[in-house]
Amino acid sequence: MLLTEPVLTADDATATALLNCLVREVCGPEQQVWPDGGRLVLRLPRAGVVLRTGLARPPAGPTYRLAAPYEEQREDAWIPASWDRLADLVAGELELATGRPNPEFLTQVGDSHGALTAILGARGEPAEDPYIASEQSLVAGHRFHPSPKSRQGAPDEWLRYAPETRSRFRPHWLAVPDELVAEEGDPNAFTALQGYGPPPPAGHKTLPVHPWQLSLLSHRPVLRRALAEGVVRDLGPSGAEAVPTSSVRTVYLPEADVFCKFSLDVRITNCVRKNAWYELSGAMALNRLLPRPFLDATFLSEPAYRTLALADLHLYEGLGVILREGVRSLPGTPLLAGALADPYSTLLAGLPAMATPEGAHAWWNAYVAHVAPPVLHAFLDHGIVLEPHLQNVLICVDADGMPVHAAFRDLEGTKLTAGRWDLAHLPPRVAEALTYAPDQGWNRVVYCLLVNHLTETAAAVADLHPSLELWRTARDHFAAHDAHPQVRALLAGVPLPAKANLRTRWARTADRAASYVPVPNPLATPR
Ligand SMILES: Nc1ncnc2c1ncn2[C@@H]1O[C@H](COP(=O)(O)OP(=O)(O)OP(=O)(O)O)[C@@H](O)[C@H]1O
Ligand SMILES: [Mg+2]
């Protein structure tokens, strides 16, 4: 088995992500994709341009493994299409399709390419801890986003905080007088961090802050004044080392075995990563409502948040930090699902269980058995909409690499279906942000679980063992829930909803209002 990492270049990863988006969101739904020998041809129907890409292997499920060369047809010849030419062509097609320009788009794609170039030049050695190494391994990032690595600001400002460079840093501790602390949840949850000094003066509490966010907020007059007058004190770097995880803004403190989910006023993929006041409160409300233990799996709890209550909402949200329970008490070794599915990583290939086709088949069966039932059960029986995309799920494996447990995370993406829960005790804005209409919730569950997650994991297994019948096995785990009409529709092969990241970026709509496009359903059995 090949255990050298496939070579990743910024040009190639940027071109692949753009083409993946085109196939999924534009050319696929409009039936403008067709095979041509060992290649794939796609037409931009409005721009009248025909493109051609290589395939790293024949398709084994609904997701393609696009590979260079990327080419554009000119008369009878094929000429190379660079990543920036592809970005221009995508922009042209979308402007014609929507009737609206987007002057930011090419800058965002360019930023993402520049960020990836900087990351590739600054990578350190991987962490010894396999869990941390997996969190820091998503170098190319989301495979179906036009600007997966775009991160405003010059790389010098953020490379030292980037998970992909395998960085570690020390958050700052701010000392905030008791009367200016806003917090909810378990009052003791922050106490564990206090041991990592420097201790706050009497009558003050510790507020952890991300140094990048502190510099982004440093111009705000209310904060400047509070620091200048000593009302709030910056105690400097803490004693606790932090490891940025795959979401960039959430960091893991290995010694304390706790996560800090910080706000970061930076757009990362579709959202500016700010903990809005109603999300801070909403996380606490959801944390209380989720069933424990969590349906044969774990949901990492978020026991408390804390922030600074001065007369500036931007600061209140920008300094709001949510604590999340750590991973040490999980069974086996937790690994980020996204790292197992990443085609540029050798994590999956290195698991002993993957050495033979039989082992890989048993691995996939165990994987689906741990991931799918809790998600389906949560939605169908409890009205809980998880967001089990590749970045929100940890798979715990035994010494052979076999999945033994799944842990879900991220309360911000978790919702409740309207009508199933009584949220009358919550402020209306908090309740609204926590609630999805049932069909909207089901779309999100199906997209995250099947399109974003299991399809990609299956593709990574198929990279190693292309002849396995993975989807027949997966069907059994869904068929167990076929008393529910939505599941029967999945098994009947209705197209799946795929979140349209390219169209959403083009339209500049909020993530919550993202559009979906229909894509092939791998659970369908051939007629
Ligand atoms: N396949 C994927 N699907 C979704 N997000 C992905 C994927 N691969 C990488 N990512 C990255 O993971 C992050 C997902 O964002 P999300 O809102 O779930 O996390 P968060 O709320 O910022 O943090 P956390 O998960 O720590 O609570 C983004 O930074 C996105 O670029
Ligand atoms: Mg997340």
Side-chain angles (χ1 to χ4, degrees):
M1 210 171 293
L2 198 65
L3 278 186
T4 46
E5 283 188 16
V7 179
L8 192 168
T9 67
D11 289 6
D12 193 56
T14 308
T16 315
L18 286 166
L19 287 164
N20 278 335
C21 291
L22 264 187
V23 171
R24 174 174 286 178
E25 300 179 37
V26 180
C27 303
E30 298 195 315
Q31 306 195 349
Q32 303 294 315
V33 181
W34 58 92
D36 173 17
R39 299 172 194 239
L40 202 68
V41 178
L42 39 154
R43 179 165 55 205
L44 305 181
R46 296 166 192 80
V49 173
V50 179
L51 300 170
R52 186 168 79 168
T53 98
L55 292 171
R57 60 162 169 77
T63 189
Y64 294 105
R65 284 289 191 240
L66 306 184
Y70 303 123
E71 296 165 305
E72 176 183 350
Q73 195 170 34
R74 285 281 171 85
E75 318 265 304
D76 288 335
W78 291 98
I79 61 164
S82 59
W83 68 270
D84 45 344
R85 170 70 183 156
L86 289 170
D88 276 339
L89 290 172
V90 171
E93 179 66 21
L94 287 176
E95 185 163 349
L96 293 170
T98 62
R100 270 177 306 180
N102 178 340
E104 292 166 7
F105 180 80
L106 292 177
T107 313
Q108 285 174 351
V109 177
D111 277 353
S112 183
H113 178 271
L116 186 48
T117 308
I119 286 166
L120 288 170
R123 294 203 87 196
E125 285 303 307
E128 272 173 32
D129 177 327
Y131 165 63
I132 295 175
S134 74
E135 288 279 7
Q136 301 200 320
S137 71
L138 302 187
V139 179
H142 201 309
R143 294 206 321 122
F144 292 86
H145 196 284
S147 49
K149 293 284 131 171
S150 165
R151 229 162 267 185
Q152 292 130 283
D156 304 356
E157 289 161 29
W158 55 256
L159 273 174
R160 78 198 94 141
Y161 308 123
E164 304 89 341
T165 59
R166 293 148 168 169
S167 66
R168 287 167 181 257
F169 60 90
R170 290 174 193 280
H172 278 224
W173 277 185
L174 292 188
V176 179
D178 291 343
E179 63 279 10
L180 293 180
V181 169
E183 58 186 343
E184 273 184 77
D186 174 1
N188 295 321
F190 278 89
T191 317
L193 289 182
Q194 242 148 21
Y196 296 93
H204 290 65
K205 285 184 171 149
T206 301
L207 176 65
V209 285
H210 195 303
W212 185 8
Q213 178 71 346
L214 194 56
S215 69
L216 293 171
L217 293 175
S218 61
H219 67 281
R220 297 206 61 92
V222 174
L223 183 61
R224 287 173 73 129
R225 202 174 326 121
L227 286 168
E229 291 171 0
V231 176
V232 171
R233 281 189 245 169
D234 181 357
L235 303 179
S238 69
E241 199 171 49
V243 178
T245 70
S246 49
S247 70
V248 183
R249 46 85 159 252
T250 300
V251 307
Y252 179 52
L253 309 178
E255 290 116 318
D257 189 34
V258 78
F259 293 86
C260 288
K261 180 167 180 168
F262 292 114
S263 282
L264 210 50
D265 288 350
V266 173
R267 180 180 301 286
I268 296 175
T269 51
N270 289 334
C271 319
V272 175
R273 302 288 160 172
K274 185 184 70 171
N275 293 323
W277 69 267
Y278 49 85
E279 289 168 340
L280 293 168
S281 268
M284 299 304 110
L286 260 183
N287 200 53
R288 285 191 298 271
L289 291 173
L290 289 189
R292 298 277 187 321
F294 192 77
L295 318 170
D296 292 335
T298 297
F299 195 102
L300 294 180
S301 70
E302 295 181 9
Y305 78 79
R306 182 174 282 180
T307 191
L308 169 64
L310 282 170
D312 181 348
L313 180 62
H314 194 109
L315 280 184
Y316 183 99
E317 297 184 329
L319 292 174
V321 55
I322 297 172
L323 293 190
R324 177 178 296 159
E325 82 172 293
V327 293
R328 229 178 270 149
S329 60
L330 293 172
T333 304
L335 297 171
L336 179 69
L340 289 164
D342 188 330
Y344 295 105
S345 156
T346 54
L347 182 62
L348 183 67
L351 300 180
M354 297 306 292
T356 61
E358 300 71 38
H361 190 258
W363 184 92
W364 167 250
N365 188 36
Y367 191 101
V368 182
H370 283 290
V371 173
V375 175
L376 295 173
H377 195 179
F379 183 85
L380 298 166
D381 302 321
H382 297 270
I384 299 167
V385 182
L386 298 184
E387 196 188 26
H389 63 51
L390 285 169
Q391 187 273 337
N392 278 342
V393 181
L394 307 179
I395 307 298
C396 305
V397 300
D398 66 13
D400 243 4
M402 284 297 279
V404 292
H405 190 77
F408 299 87
R409 68 177 172 198
D410 196 346
L411 283 171
E412 187 201 347
T414 306
K415 309 286 169 191
L416 302 172
T417 52
R420 286 289 288 265
W421 294 81
D422 180 7
L423 302 180
H425 61 291
L426 298 175
R429 185 69 189 92
V430 174
E432 185 197 330
L434 281 185
T435 312
Y436 265 17
D439 55 341
Q440 189 191 17
W442 180 242
N443 264 7
R444 169 89 41 150
V445 165
V446 172
Y447 161 66
C448 290
L449 177 64
L450 275 162
V451 181
N452 185 303
H453 189 155
L454 293 180
T455 297
E456 294 299 300
T457 313
V461 176
D463 287 344
L464 303 170
H465 300 287
S467 58
L468 291 176
E469 288 264 11
L470 299 173
W471 289 102
R472 197 172 296 164
T473 306
R475 261 182 84 84
D476 295 342
H477 298 287
F478 286 80
H481 298 265
D482 67 2
H484 294 274
Q486 300 98 315
V487 176
R488 289 202 294 275
L490 285 184
L491 294 168
V494 299
L496 302 181
K499 193 165 156 206
N501 290 317
L502 171 62
R503 289 182 176 278
T504 303
R505 274 301 1 98
W506 187 264
R508 289 183 270 181
T509 32
D511 193 54
R512 193 181 164 94
S515 54
Y516 285 78
V517 288
V519 295
N521 176 350
L523 291 172
T525 40
R527 262 176 254 164

